[in-house]
Amino acid sequence: MKLKKAFQYQLASGSKLLGWTVLWIAAAIIVVPIITTALVGRINSLSVNDFLPVGLLEFSLNVFLIFYSAMTYDGFQNMIQNGIGRKTYFYSKTLVIGLLALVGSLVSVVYNLLVSPFSPVEREGTFSLETMYYHFFSNGFMNHFMPFVLLVLLTICIAATFMFIGSI
């Protein structure tokens, strides 16, 4: 029962932080160049591919998970005060990080599929790992599925590494 409550609390706070992170990074990458171009007076030269970068959500997700994973003491202190043990806290934090990585990667792949027609660069895959392993398997489904699995695993490994660093 304690794991469920700790998981719900951390998932709600982690989702809120992830939303704010994506919003701020999108503002920095999309809105600031548009405003700068408008101030310079070259707004007519803007095209859609100038402000819809492929890989924006992958970058946002990894930046968020690095900092979210490394911040262990504040959440741990709060959980200890409410009767949640170390094991339960870190187990629920690991589950939340895994779930956020999975959902964030799914959203990132969908975003990249929607944005890739506007991208000036011709790519066979929809995200960076897919281009490296696109022709590795002879099965077309596996060419799309396995790079997604690798993306999720890479994201979780990065988060776990920084969770370890944050707990030192």
Side-chain angles (χ1 to χ4, degrees), residues 13-35:
S13 65
S15 300
K16 190 186 313 180
L17 285 172
L18 178 60
W20 280 109
T21 303
V22 169
L23 183 70
W24 278 104
I25 289 177
I29 293 177
I30 296 172
V31 175
V32 171
I34 291 173
I35 292 172

Side-chain angles (χ1 to χ4, degrees), residues 137-152:
F137 297 100
S138 59
N139 186 348
F141 173 75
M142 292 300 285
N143 280 335
H144 291 285
F145 180 69
M146 289 309 291
F148 172 73
V149 170
L150 289 174
L151 176 68
V152 172

Side-chain angles (χ1 to χ4, degrees), residues 25 29 55-64 108:
I25 289 177
I29 293 177
L56 172 68
L57 293 181
E58 292 171 11
F59 176 73
S60 302
L61 179 67
N62 284 324
V63 166
F64 165 75
S108 174

Side-chain angles (χ1 to χ4, degrees), residues 33-50:
I34 291 173
I35 292 172
T36 305
T37 306
L39 290 175
V40 173
R42 305 189 78 206
I43 196 74
N44 295 335
S45 66
L46 269 181
S47 65
V48 175
N49 59 9
D50 290 337

Side-chain angles (χ1 to χ4, degrees), residues 58-128:
E58 292 171 11
F59 176 73
S60 302
L61 179 67
N62 284 324
V63 166
F64 165 75
L65 285 177
I66 284 171
F67 288 108
Y68 181 72
S69 300
M71 295 186 322
T72 56
Y73 183 71
D74 295 334
F76 178 67
Q77 184 181 17
N78 184 23
M79 293 290 178
I80 288 292
Q81 290 173 354
N82 290 315
I84 307 291
R86 281 187 179 89
K87 227 174 166 178
T88 306
Y89 168 74
F90 283 107
Y91 187 61
S92 67
K93 180 130 182 163
T94 305
L95 288 175
V96 166
I97 288 170
L99 185 64
L100 289 175
L102 178 65
V103 172
S105 296
L106 279 172
V107 171
S108 174
V109 168
V110 170
Y111 169 80
N112 288 339
L113 284 172
L114 294 174
V115 170
S116 63
F118 300 109
S119 178
V121 179
E122 292 293 324
R123 297 188 336 172
E124 292 177 321
T126 55
F127 55 92
S128 58

